[in-house]
Amino acid sequence: MSTNILNYSILLLVLFFAAPLAVVQSSDPDILSDFILPQGLGAVNVNGSFFTYTGMRTVVDSGEPQTFTVVKATMTEFPALNGQSVSYAVLQFPQDSINPPHTHPRSAELLFLVGGMLDVGFVDTENKLYTARLQPGDIFVFPKGLVHFQHNRGQGSAVAISAFGSASAGTVSVPGSVFTAGIDEGVLAKSFKTDVATIQKIKAGLAPKA
Protein backbone atom coordinates (compact mmCIF):
# COMPACT_ATOMS: atom_id res chain seq x y z
CA MET A 1 0.00 0.00 0.00
CA SER A 2 2.78 2.46 0.93
CA THR A 3 4.49 1.79 -2.41
CA ASN A 4 1.30 2.65 -4.30
CA ILE A 5 0.92 5.87 -2.31
CA LEU A 6 4.53 6.79 -3.06
CA ASN A 7 4.09 6.11 -6.76
CA TYR A 8 0.88 8.15 -6.80
CA SER A 9 2.61 11.04 -5.05
CA ILE A 10 5.48 10.99 -7.54
CA LEU A 11 2.98 11.01 -10.42
CA LEU A 12 1.18 14.02 -8.95
CA LEU A 13 4.50 15.86 -8.59
CA VAL A 14 5.41 15.15 -12.21
CA LEU A 15 2.03 16.40 -13.41
CA PHE A 16 2.28 19.47 -11.17
CA PHE A 17 5.62 20.53 -12.63
CA ALA A 18 4.76 19.52 -16.19
CA ALA A 19 1.56 21.59 -16.36
CA PRO A 20 3.22 25.02 -16.06
CA LEU A 21 5.79 23.97 -18.64
CA ALA A 22 3.02 23.14 -21.10
CA VAL A 23 1.42 26.54 -20.51
CA VAL A 24 4.71 28.35 -21.09
CA GLN A 25 5.39 26.49 -24.31
CA SER A 26 1.96 27.39 -25.74
CA SER A 27 2.76 31.12 -25.82
CA ASP A 28 5.71 33.38 -26.53
CA PRO A 29 8.59 32.88 -24.08
CA ASP A 30 9.55 35.68 -21.73
CA ILE A 31 12.85 37.37 -22.57
CA LEU A 32 15.56 38.52 -20.18
CA SER A 33 16.58 41.60 -22.15
CA ASP A 34 14.88 44.71 -23.49
CA PHE A 35 14.81 43.30 -27.00
CA ILE A 36 16.34 40.55 -29.15
CA LEU A 37 18.77 41.36 -31.93
CA PRO A 38 19.34 39.11 -34.95
CA GLN A 39 22.54 37.10 -34.83
CA GLY A 40 25.55 39.10 -35.94
CA LEU A 41 23.96 42.48 -35.21
CA GLY A 42 25.53 44.20 -32.20
CA ALA A 43 23.67 46.71 -30.05
CA VAL A 44 26.13 49.42 -31.04
CA ASN A 45 24.83 49.24 -34.62
CA VAL A 46 21.15 49.50 -33.68
CA ASN A 47 19.13 52.69 -34.13
CA GLY A 48 15.50 53.63 -34.50
CA SER A 49 15.21 52.11 -37.95
CA PHE A 50 15.49 48.61 -36.43
CA PHE A 51 12.27 49.28 -34.54
CA THR A 52 10.47 50.74 -37.57
CA TYR A 53 8.48 48.67 -40.08
CA THR A 54 7.59 50.30 -43.40
CA GLY A 55 5.81 47.35 -45.02
CA MET A 56 2.38 48.80 -44.31
CA ARG A 57 3.04 51.72 -46.66
CA THR A 58 1.79 49.53 -49.49
CA VAL A 59 -1.63 49.51 -47.84
CA VAL A 60 -1.72 53.31 -47.77
CA ASP A 61 -0.07 54.02 -51.12
CA SER A 62 -1.63 51.38 -53.38
CA GLY A 63 -5.18 51.08 -54.66
CA GLU A 64 -7.77 48.61 -53.47
CA PRO A 65 -6.84 44.98 -54.17
CA GLN A 66 -8.99 42.79 -56.41
CA THR A 67 -8.96 39.87 -53.98
CA PHE A 68 -8.83 39.47 -50.22
CA THR A 69 -5.36 40.60 -49.11
CA VAL A 70 -3.45 40.40 -45.83
CA VAL A 71 -0.38 42.49 -45.09
CA LYS A 72 1.40 41.13 -42.01
CA ALA A 73 3.87 42.52 -39.52
CA THR A 74 5.11 39.45 -37.64
CA MET A 75 8.62 38.67 -36.46
CA THR A 76 9.29 37.21 -39.92
CA GLU A 77 8.71 40.55 -41.63
CA PHE A 78 9.66 42.73 -38.65
CA PRO A 79 12.50 41.10 -36.62
CA ALA A 80 12.23 43.67 -33.82
CA LEU A 81 9.02 41.93 -32.72
CA ASN A 82 10.96 38.84 -31.66
CA GLY A 83 10.31 38.35 -27.95
CA GLN A 84 7.75 41.17 -27.72
CA SER A 85 4.59 38.97 -27.92
CA VAL A 86 2.81 41.27 -30.38
CA SER A 87 2.15 41.35 -34.11
CA TYR A 88 -0.17 43.04 -36.55
CA ALA A 89 -2.02 42.54 -39.81
CA VAL A 90 -4.08 44.71 -42.15
CA LEU A 91 -6.92 42.87 -43.90
CA GLN A 92 -8.40 44.27 -47.11
CA PHE A 93 -11.71 42.91 -48.39
CA PRO A 94 -13.09 43.73 -51.84
CA GLN A 95 -16.87 43.43 -52.07
CA ASP A 96 -18.18 39.90 -51.39
CA SER A 97 -14.73 38.52 -50.50
CA ILE A 98 -13.93 36.28 -47.55
CA ASN A 99 -11.12 35.34 -45.25
CA PRO A 100 -11.81 31.57 -45.21
CA PRO A 101 -12.14 29.61 -41.93
CA HIS A 102 -8.77 29.36 -40.19
CA THR A 103 -7.14 29.33 -36.76
CA HIS A 104 -4.24 31.04 -35.02
CA PRO A 105 -2.73 28.39 -32.73
CA ARG A 106 -0.54 30.74 -30.69
CA SER A 107 -2.74 33.80 -30.11
CA ALA A 108 -6.17 35.35 -29.89
CA GLU A 109 -6.99 37.92 -32.58
CA LEU A 110 -8.40 41.37 -31.83
CA LEU A 111 -9.96 42.76 -35.02
CA PHE A 112 -10.77 46.47 -35.43
CA LEU A 113 -12.93 47.38 -38.42
CA VAL A 114 -11.72 50.62 -39.98
CA GLY A 115 -14.08 50.86 -42.94
CA GLY A 116 -16.90 48.96 -44.65
CA MET A 117 -18.91 46.16 -43.07
CA LEU A 118 -17.92 42.63 -42.11
CA ASP A 119 -19.78 39.53 -40.99
CA VAL A 120 -17.51 37.64 -38.60
CA GLY A 121 -17.76 34.51 -36.53
CA PHE A 122 -16.02 31.69 -34.70
CA VAL A 123 -16.88 28.19 -33.52
CA ASP A 124 -16.06 27.11 -29.96
CA THR A 125 -14.99 23.67 -28.73
CA GLU A 126 -18.64 22.70 -28.17
CA ASN A 127 -19.37 23.41 -31.84
CA LYS A 128 -21.38 26.56 -31.09
CA LEU A 129 -21.20 29.36 -33.65
CA TYR A 130 -20.88 32.99 -32.54
CA THR A 131 -21.42 35.65 -35.20
CA ALA A 132 -21.67 39.43 -35.47
CA ARG A 133 -22.07 42.09 -38.16
CA LEU A 134 -19.44 44.76 -37.63
CA GLN A 135 -19.58 48.43 -38.54
CA PRO A 136 -16.62 50.84 -38.68
CA GLY A 137 -15.22 51.38 -35.20
CA ASP A 138 -16.31 47.96 -33.91
CA ILE A 139 -13.86 45.51 -32.32
CA PHE A 140 -14.30 41.73 -32.24
CA VAL A 141 -12.13 39.14 -30.51
CA PHE A 142 -11.49 35.67 -31.92
CA PRO A 143 -10.37 33.43 -29.03
CA LYS A 144 -7.04 31.70 -29.32
CA GLY A 145 -6.96 28.56 -31.45
CA LEU A 146 -10.65 28.58 -32.47
CA VAL A 147 -11.82 28.36 -36.09
CA HIS A 148 -13.06 31.74 -37.35
CA PHE A 149 -13.78 33.70 -40.53
CA GLN A 150 -14.65 37.13 -41.97
CA HIS A 151 -16.96 37.93 -44.90
CA ASN A 152 -17.55 41.26 -46.61
CA ARG A 153 -21.23 41.24 -47.61
CA GLY A 154 -21.36 45.02 -48.00
CA GLN A 155 -21.74 47.16 -51.11
CA GLY A 156 -18.11 48.29 -51.10
CA SER A 157 -14.70 47.32 -49.81
CA ALA A 158 -13.79 46.82 -46.14
CA VAL A 159 -10.56 47.28 -44.21
CA ALA A 160 -9.72 45.82 -40.80
CA ILE A 161 -6.69 45.82 -38.54
CA SER A 162 -5.89 42.74 -36.46
CA ALA A 163 -3.64 42.62 -33.41
CA PHE A 164 -2.17 39.42 -31.98
CA GLY A 165 -0.64 38.55 -28.61
CA SER A 166 2.24 36.72 -30.22
CA ALA A 167 5.11 37.73 -32.48
CA SER A 168 4.23 34.69 -34.58
CA ALA A 169 0.57 33.76 -34.09
CA GLY A 170 0.58 31.26 -36.95
CA THR A 171 -2.28 30.64 -39.38
CA VAL A 172 -3.82 27.26 -40.13
CA SER A 173 -6.23 27.41 -43.07
CA VAL A 174 -9.06 24.92 -42.66
CA PRO A 175 -9.66 24.35 -46.40
CA GLY A 176 -5.94 24.26 -47.13
CA SER A 177 -5.03 21.98 -44.24
CA VAL A 178 -7.85 19.54 -44.93
CA PHE A 179 -7.83 19.37 -48.71
CA THR A 180 -4.33 20.31 -49.89
CA ALA A 181 -2.04 18.77 -47.26
CA GLY A 182 -2.01 15.30 -48.78
CA ILE A 183 -4.60 13.53 -46.60
CA ASP A 184 -5.78 10.36 -48.31
CA GLU A 185 -8.82 11.08 -50.49
CA GLY A 186 -10.59 7.98 -49.20
CA VAL A 187 -10.20 9.25 -45.63
CA LEU A 188 -11.61 12.63 -46.64
CA ALA A 189 -14.52 11.06 -48.51
CA LYS A 190 -15.51 8.99 -45.47
CA SER A 191 -15.00 11.91 -43.10
CA PHE A 192 -17.28 14.20 -45.11
CA LYS A 193 -19.70 11.37 -46.02
CA THR A 194 -19.23 11.87 -49.74
CA ASP A 195 -17.27 10.21 -52.56
CA VAL A 196 -13.72 10.56 -53.82
CA ALA A 197 -14.85 12.32 -57.00
CA THR A 198 -16.38 15.13 -54.94
CA ILE A 199 -13.21 15.44 -52.86
CA GLN A 200 -11.17 15.70 -56.06
CA LYS A 201 -13.41 18.52 -57.33
CA ILE A 202 -12.94 20.43 -54.09
CA LYS A 203 -9.19 19.95 -54.23
CA ALA A 204 -9.10 21.13 -57.85
CA GLY A 205 -10.98 24.28 -56.87
CA LEU A 206 -8.40 25.04 -54.18
CA ALA A 207 -5.40 24.46 -56.42
CA PRO A 208 -3.38 27.61 -57.30
CA LYS A 209 -4.39 29.16 -60.60
CA ALA A 210 -1.81 28.61 -63.36
Side-chain angles (χ1 to χ4, degrees):
M1 179 66 72
S2 60
T3 302
N4 288 338
I5 293 175
L6 178 61
N7 290 338
Y8 183 72
S9 300
I10 293 173
L11 177 61
L12 286 179
L13 283 173
V14 170
L15 293 175
F16 176 79
F17 286 108
L21 179 60
V23 171
V24 170
Q25 290 178 338
S26 66
S27 59
D28 288 8
D30 288 333
I31 60 175
L32 301 178
S33 59
D34 295 334
F35 46 85
I36 298 176
L37 296 176
Q39 289 186 353
L41 183 63
V44 69
N45 298 319
V46 173
N47 55 34
S49 63
F50 175 71
F51 302 98
T52 303
Y53 181 64
T54 61
M56 295 296 179
R57 292 179 182 177
T58 58
V59 176
V60 178
D61 296 336
S62 62
E64 295 182 2
Q66 299 300 307
T67 59
F68 167 70
T69 302
V70 180
V71 181
K72 298 180 180 180
T74 71
M75 61 181 284
T76 299
E77 298 84 15
F78 189 12
L81 295 183
N82 189 10
Q84 302 302 323
S85 299
V86 292
S87 59
Y88 217 53
V90 175
L91 290 69
Q92 297 174 279
F93 297 84
Q95 183 176 338
D96 200 33
S97 62
I98 64 168
N99 186 3
H102 61 282
T103 70
H104 303 294
R106 294 184 288 275
S107 176
E109 175 181 356
L110 192 63
L111 182 144
F112 172 55
L113 185 60
V114 177
M117 294 184 65
L118 283 181
D119 286 350
V120 301
F122 69 87
V123 181
D124 70 8
T125 55
E126 295 181 353
N127 211 34
K128 181 177 179 180
L129 175 64
Y130 299 82
T131 63
R133 176 161 291 181
L134 305 184
Q135 299 181 26
D138 292 347
I139 292 177
F140 191 88
V141 62
F142 302 101
K144 178 179 177 179
L146 297 185
V147 174
H148 59 280
F149 63 91
Q150 298 104 25
H151 182 191
N152 176 13
R153 295 180 183 269
Q155 298 301 310
S157 61
V159 178
I161 298 172
S162 287
F164 301 91
S166 169
S168 180
T171 300
V172 179
S173 167
V174 174
S177 296
V178 173
F179 293 103
T180 68
I183 298 175
D184 182 82
E185 292 176 349
V187 171
L188 293 176
K190 290 181 179 179
S191 299
F192 288 92
K193 295 181 172 54
T194 185
D195 51 54
V196 170
T198 300
I199 297 298
Q200 291 174 340
K201 288 181 180 179
I202 295 173
K203 292 174 69 173
L206 293 171
K209 299 294 186 291

